[in-house]
Amino acid sequence: MSNPMRPPRTPRPSASLRPRTTIRSGTARSALPAVALTGALLLAGCSGTADTEPPGSTSAKMNPSPATTPTWAPVTGSPQVIPAVRSFRRADGRGWRPSSGARVVVPAGAKSNVADEAQRLAKELGGMTVVYGDQTVRPGDIEVKLSGKNGADNVPVQSTADEAYTLTASGTRLTLTAPTDAGIFYGTRTVKQAVRAAGGLPEGTIEDRPDRPQRGMSLDNARKPYTLDWIEARLREIADLKLNQFQLHFSDDQGFRIQSDTHPEVVSADHLTKAQVRQIIALARSLHISVVPELDSPGHLGAVLAHHQDLLLHKASGSVVPGAIDISNPKAAPLIDSLLKEMSELFTNPKGAPAYWHLGGDEYQALMSSSPSTSYPQLARAARQKYGSGGTVEDLTTGWLNDRQKTVESKGKNRIEAWNDGFFASPRVSADKNRMVDYWTGKETGKRDPASFLREGRNVMNFNDEYLYYVLGEPNQFTYPTGQRIYLSWTPMVIRGTQPVAVPASMTGPDRIPGARFAIWSDRAQAQTQQQVAAGIRLPLAALAQKTWDPGTPALSWAAFQALANRV
């Protein structure tokens, strides 16, 4: 993982989402550059005048007089978006394009939880007017309709059904319907991309929803500090790709990158303030992205232990193990728990929403020894004291992670994860049954096949280091992953190596393999600039978005997909 020597049950997509029209690659219409979005409003002519009421108006019918139907060249072909829509039923007509005087109509009102989605889309399409309430939907308008209840704003969803949406282009009007504001948001991403790629949407109906409920990106901000602006730009980028998770690995041997008031001594000079973290969380939430904080232990604690050297793990020979905490020391747990509690309070979650926390757990050097009890007798002694004469170092380490899980659960975290090499064959102690396995490698000491985790009933998140690990400097035989390789040969079922995990199909659905995250690790921090990292991950993120939204064989060739990614 981070030194790469280093889930609610979700129904499968219904038959109605299986494509009824085969979407094949072909020559795309000329792209509408992002900078030309405003110009698109003028290219599609309309003799009616634009509303004079400013955006945000809540008045009733502002202009009861009929508007003239706008005219434009037909939008042809299939919707051109990433990820590709799951189902599109063509119809006869000219489709929909942004046009002068067109509005975004929100029947649910200005105080509804979809008002912000409508306002964002209107701005992205060149500053369209947004109107609320009982309005006549005029030619050229976009109507944004909430089919479910008007719940709390920007609360993470519970299932892929909550992320579904329907878009219909008919009679020069566009109707977007979804059960939640998340579904509305994803529909607006489709509109935005389609306008950029082809000027608009073809006549017909899109029915769309993701296959996997968890889709995202992980960032190692500990070894290489990334600026607030860079992080926010990546949040907007992954949101446009309909990815919904952002994992932040903020502590490691090289740095502790978030302000701490309980232990200011451990904080690196270049770090995010708590105010900046709150800003990241707020932006992520507005984009329907869940933040997954990671404070790794009992390994990868070098930045913390530099100021608490009495807690460093020592071998029997007396040599120090860098970055590893001595979990037999009675002062170790209180130090880490105080940091976990403080950071858990910083990374807030809406009431009732999934509340994620990543415990790390990987590459604890004591368990990478051929004989942990011989090399680390103090750990073996503590294990026997706690778990009886048969207690092992593996038991002690599993118990450590179980106790850290209880700490963050006491602060409201309810979706707990750890790296696969943090799950040990412990004879006396089992890893908490509610902890998800984040599977990144099969190269570690005592490696377990991902099939073994699935067979014992655990859910497994895909971090396959063969495809999804972008390790700066390419150490330890890592190579930078390519979008092409992900697009052509990876699916969420390919958890380790290059072949699908060998378990029955019933164990590979979204309820058991909830998705995947693309991980950026900063092992050799100076190997790339932030701008180079952004460029390097662009196509892999697009490919990941496609294969987690729909793991089937894509309709577009790689060349066509790459060209589309360059447009949208």
Side-chain angles (χ1 to χ4, degrees), residues 140-160:
D141 283 352
I142 306 172
E143 185 179 20
V144 176
K145 298 170 65 176
L146 190 65
S147 60
K149 66 179 182 179
N150 184 39
D153 194 25
N154 300 328
V155 174
V157 297
Q158 299 290 341
S159 73
T160 56

Side-chain angles (χ1 to χ4, degrees), residues 268-339:
S268 302
D270 196 342
H271 65 272
L272 296 168
T273 67
K274 288 188 174 181
Q276 289 175 319
V277 172
R278 293 187 186 100
Q279 186 172 326
I280 288 169
I281 294 169
L283 176 62
R285 190 171 298 165
S286 75
L287 298 170
H288 300 275
I289 294 171
S290 294
V291 178
V292 184
E294 181 192 353
L295 201 169
D296 205 343
S297 82
H300 295 287
L301 283 169
V304 172
L305 296 177
H307 304 276
H308 296 272
Q309 296 191 21
D310 58 318
L311 300 181
L312 279 163
L313 180 65
H314 290 74
K315 292 183 178 180
S317 63
S319 62
V320 172
V321 182
I325 196 167
D326 183 351
I327 59 176
S328 69
N329 191 314
K331 297 180 181 178
L335 171 64
I336 302 307
D337 282 346
S338 64
L339 288 168

